[in-house]
Structure formats: structure tokens, C-alpha cells
Amino acid sequence: MRVIVVGGGGREHAIIKKLKENKSIEEIFALPGNGGMAKDATCVNIGAKDLDGIVKFAKENAIDYAVVAPDDPLVLGCVDALNDAGIPCFGPTKAAAIIEGSKVFSKNLMKKYGIPTAEYEVFSKAEDALKYLADAPIPTVIKADGLALGKGVVIALTREEAFDAVKSIMEDKKFGDSGNNIVIEEFLEGPEVSVLAFTDGNVVKPMVSSMDHKRALDFDKGLNTGGMGTIAPNPYYTEDIADECMKTIFLPTIEAMKKEDREFKGCLYFGLMLTKNGPKVIEYNCRFGDPETQVVLPLLESDLFEIMQSVTNGTLDKCEVKFADKSACCVIMASKGYPEKYENGFEIVIPEEISDSVYVAGAKLGDGKLLSAGGRVLGVTAIAPSLKDAIDGAYKKVSLIKFDNAFYRKDIGQKALKATEDK
Ligand code: AMP
Ligand code: GLY
């Protein structure tokens, strides 16, 4: 089998490494991939949003199967375009990817089908939003409707910040057309859990739970980033909570999408908050999370390619999805200055003995060397019987990587460790 993986970050590298365990796969092409994954896949310089280029490549190279990993191509309809060309895919169609592509859609879906989420209002005019905010409860949360590179959410701790957020999203168009509509929602509190789930539109098989660390600095300080590290499983996500989520959130969401004629097939990501009134949905993503994937897939004991094909074929009920009873920790090494200004082009040296558990996100090859080429440069994952050992293992591996401009959080997993100890 010849497979393409659309995308080029650490998540895609983790997917590719796992797919390689399947012996029926002869070659994997990453579109565009990055220099750091060149040993695991053939990188082809076609952008993840270049749908015509992707389809042309797939047809010309006798591709048997495609995995579309990032949000942009999914929301643009990459799966539909590949399917039209006769190529089976892992990932939702454009009609289903709207669950991430439009927050207005997902909030209205949850309201219509009684799926627990924060209370909200939708606005298409800045003046209406500002009027509403004049006496709305504070803190409040303001979200641009469309995709905004994970930056379209503002937690406003003061009324002033809320006004500023509305103005910058709706009037200054900080996120372009993604901010034509906004959602203003209730501020929720509680531990956050990420649950990625395989679904073929009928059956949902959740993966091991995880915890992201979104802020740039230790102790959840600093700016929001694409994610600075993850651990799995998430100790706050008990079996009882998992059962409750299956009944009140996962199955109702799949059913709702089917009823709306938007059957979802692929990986559905539930961003949950465990509030004192029960688990609520903070966001849906129509894809694997990054860097959640870098802790979840290394714990997967079943064959990823078989699961993906069963999702495509609608036979997930017959497919085993089994995870190791262990913990994993992934630490992201970013470029100093990320998520703001940073420099590229620093050499990265990864010792061969740990390269299996290094997932490269932003690097390129130059003069036979691996050079940094992005904000988040790589992730390093360790697996161990206990969370503590997984954390120690990940930091040990970090210390073995030579990358002068590296910046990373020192406290990945500490909050989870404390929660485990408090249990
Ligand atoms: P998102 O981009 O939707 O993942 O949101 C980014 C982060 O904002 C989430 O991980 C939460 O920490 C936070 N957030 C989003 N919505 C809410 C909410 N209604 N209440 C409190 N925090 C929120
Ligand atoms: N880690 C959050 C995301 O992938 O959006």
C-alpha cells in the first residue's frame, strides 16, 4: 500500500511512525512533511492547503490511502476532493469538518441536541456584542467563529479586555473573515481533558485521555501556544467520568452529526472541562490534536492503519482499539521567543538511540544538517509504567538533544502528577 499523510508537524510525524508498524504499507509520502521526518517518510513539497496539488500527486503516484491530519485542508474539503478521485481517506468530509471550522455551528449543534457546553450568544455585529458585554458576567470568553490558528479565543478577565477583543476580532479583523461572527460564552472552571476518539459515524472508540499544556511558560503563565507538552492518561478523567462523557457527549455528538446529514468519520477531538456541574465541551476539533497525538499514539497497542481503514469502511465495531496500561509524557522543544518572534536555522542533533520517540514539527535539512525552522521545533516522548517515570524519561531525552536555541517548559506533567498523588 502507498499512503499519503497530509500535513507537516509533530502530529503527522507521530502518525507516520505508527503507520510504519503496519507491514502492508510500502511507502509513506508526507505532504509537505518536514526535514526532520525525512527518515520516516518521503517528503513532497506540496502544501497541506493545496488541494489540487494533493489530488494530482495522489493520482500520479498510485496512492491507495490518504490520511488528512490538519484542520485547514479538512475544513477546505481535502477528503471530498480525494474521494472524488477515488482515493479512500481517513478524515471527515467538509460537511462534517464544520464541527471545528465554525464555532457558531458547533455551539448551535450542542444546544439543539442538549450536549453540555458553556452558555453562549452569537453576534454578527460588533455594536450588538459591545452592548451585550456592557453588563455581561466577567470573566467572559470571546471566540472567533472560524479557524484562527488556535488563537481565536480570548479569556477576558475584565470588561475592558472583552471590549478590546470584540473590536480587534470584528472591527480590525485580526483573524480575517474568521471573525465575521463571534461567540461570547460563559467562563467555565475545572480541569481540562482532551479525548481523541475514532469514529466511523456509528461507533465511537475513545483513545486514552490526555492533558495539554497550552501556555508558553511554567505554571501556566505566558501566552497561549499550539501546545508545549502533554501527558496521558489524564488523571482527572476517571472511569465514571469517561462513562458519563460517552453517554452525554460522545454518542450524542455522533448521532447529532448523522441527523444533520454530516456523518463524521475520522478522529473527533473532544476538548472537555470537568466543571462542578459535570463535564462540558469546550471545543471540538475535527482531527488528531497536536501535541496530544504524540502521547496517545505511542500508547496505542493496536494497528493504527487497520483502525483507520475500519473507520473509512464503517467497520470500527469489529476493530480492536487497545492502549497500553502505561503513562506517556511529551515535552515540546520550541525556539526561544515562541509564540512571538524567534530565529530559525539553529542546528539540531538528535542521538540515534532516542530518535524513535522524537517527533519533529519545524525543521529542514540544509548542508546535511537538521536546522530549526519553526516555533515548535520538536516533541520528545517517553513511556513508563508510572507518570512520574514518564516525565523523568521525557526530560532525560530532552537533555540529550543538542539544539542551542531551544526553549521548553520544565513543568510538563507536574499538575497531573499532583492530581495523581492527591487521589
Ligand atoms: P480553544 O482554542 O477553543 O481550545 O480554547 C483555548 C483555551 O481557552 C481552552 O483550552 C480553555 O483553556 C480556554 N477556554 C475556552 N473556552 C472556555 C470557557 N468557556 N471557559 C473557560 N475557559 C475556556
Ligand atoms: N492541542 C490542541 C489542538 O490540537 O488544537
Side-chain angles (χ1 to χ4, degrees):
M1 296 280 253
R2 295 159 63 77
V3 175
I4 57 175
V5 173
V6 175
R11 162 187 53 204
E12 287 76 10
H13 200 181
I15 291 171
I16 288 166
K17 279 184 191 280
K18 200 74 200 172
L19 284 175
K20 278 179 67 183
E21 292 175 11
N22 182 294
K23 296 292 167 255
S24 73
I25 298 181
E26 299 145 44
E27 186 156 15
I28 303 180
F29 299 90
L31 279 57
N34 74 66
M37 55 175 87
K39 276 196 205 120
D40 294 309
T42 307
C43 297
V44 183
N45 194 14
I46 295 174
K49 290 199 268 185
D50 178 5
L51 302 198
D52 291 342
I54 293 167
V55 171
K56 186 163 175 284
F57 178 86
K59 286 210 285 211
E60 287 174 1
N61 290 277
I63 296 300
D64 301 295
Y65 193 79
V67 178
V68 183
D71 48 1
D72 282 310
L74 289 167
V75 170
L76 288 170
C78 190
V79 165
D80 311 61
L82 285 162
N83 284 344
D84 287 347
I87 295 153
C89 293
F90 181 83
T93 58
K94 182 177 182 174
I98 193 175
I99 198 164
E100 173 169 5
S102 167
K103 294 219 191 300
V104 173
F105 171 86
S106 64
K107 293 299 290 189
N108 288 343
L109 184 86
M110 288 186 269
K111 187 189 250 178
K112 182 168 170 187
Y113 292 92
I115 298 165
T117 187
E119 296 292 327
Y120 71 103
E121 300 283 339
V122 175
F123 297 93
S124 53
K125 286 200 193 109
E127 58 177 295
D128 294 342
L130 294 171
K131 206 154 101 195
Y132 168 83
L133 281 174
D135 53 9
I138 299 291
T140 189
V141 182
I142 294 149
K143 300 186 171 183
D145 176 38
L147 297 181
L149 295 169
K151 298 191 178 81
V153 175
V154 176
I155 313 286
L157 299 176
T158 65
R159 212 167 291 283
E160 214 55 60
E161 280 172 26
F163 290 142
D164 287 348
V166 168
K167 285 179 197 151
S168 77
I169 297 173
M170 299 194 89
E171 289 174 355
D172 307 340
K173 296 273 173 217
K174 190 172 175 192
F175 305 115
D177 286 346
S178 284
N180 288 350
N181 296 300
I182 61 166
V183 171
I184 300 184
E185 70 177 31
E186 177 195 8
F187 175 75
L188 298 177
E189 285 176 281
E192 283 187 59
V193 183
S194 306
V195 179
L196 322 185
F198 292 109
T199 173
D200 62 359
N202 292 306
V203 174
V204 191
K205 296 206 172 172
M207 298 178 225
V208 62
S209 62
S210 54
M211 181 192 284
D212 195 1
H213 296 68
K214 287 203 165 101
R215 300 297 195 99
L217 307 177
D218 287 359
F219 310 114
D220 296 330
K221 299 274 189 310
L223 295 172
N224 254 321
T225 70
M228 294 300 291
T230 37
I231 58 98
N234 185 321
Y236 291 104
Y237 191 72
T238 61
E239 260 176 53
D240 285 350
I241 293 176
D243 288 345
E244 185 178 352
C245 288
M246 181 56 93
K247 279 194 212 98
T248 63
I249 295 174
F250 305 161
L251 287 170
T253 301
I254 297 306
E255 286 303 314
M257 290 298 277
K258 212 159 48 180
K259 287 202 185 104
E260 296 294 310
D261 241 350
R262 296 174 184 275
E263 182 179 72
F264 191 102
K265 285 175 174 234
C267 172
L268 185 51
Y269 170 127
F270 298 89
L272 306 171
M273 196 171 269
L274 308 181
T275 75
K276 60 179 190 311
N277 299 318
K280 297 194 179 186
V281 178
I282 288 281
E283 63 163 346
Y284 293 114
N285 290 331
C286 65
R287 51 168 174 92
F288 284 97
D290 189 342
E292 284 90 343
T293 306
Q294 291 91 310
V295 284
V296 169
L297 289 188
L299 291 171
L300 179 65
E301 289 183 334
S302 313
D303 186 299
L304 178 62
F305 191 45
E306 282 177 12
I307 298 172
M308 286 183 159
Q309 288 176 300
S310 79
V311 164
T312 309
N313 299 335
T315 53
L316 182 60
D317 58 332
K318 299 191 191 72
C319 193
E320 186 188 56
V321 178
K322 191 165 172 283
F323 286 85
D325 189 15
K326 291 183 180 169
S327 291
C329 173
C330 173
V331 177
I332 298 292
M333 297 178 85
S335 299
K336 255 177 225 152
Y338 172 77
E340 294 185 291
K341 261 184 84 161
Y342 56 83
E343 284 177 50
N344 281 324
F346 291 85
E347 187 180 357
I348 308 158
V349 182
I350 304 167
E352 188 54 41
E353 66 270 20
I354 62 165
S355 68
D356 277 359
S357 51
V358 176
Y359 306 103
V360 183
K364 62 176 187 196
L365 292 169
D367 288 341
K369 294 178 187 160
L370 190 61
L371 305 173
S372 63
R376 288 190 299 169
V377 175
L378 56 87
V380 191
T381 297
I383 295 178
S386 74
L387 176 60
K388 176 154 191 332
D389 289 346
I391 296 169
D392 291 347
Y395 279 104
K396 172 98 203 308
K397 290 183 188 181
V398 165
S399 73
L400 300 175
I401 291 175
K402 192 179 159 299
F403 165 31
D404 281 346
N405 194 42
F407 162 75
Y408 56 91
R409 272 179 66 162
K410 311 285 189 302
D411 69 331
I412 300 302
Q414 290 306 321
K415 206 197 308 180
L417 198 56
K418 186 154 187 318
T420 323
E421 286 161 2
D422 290 349
K423 259 189 194 170

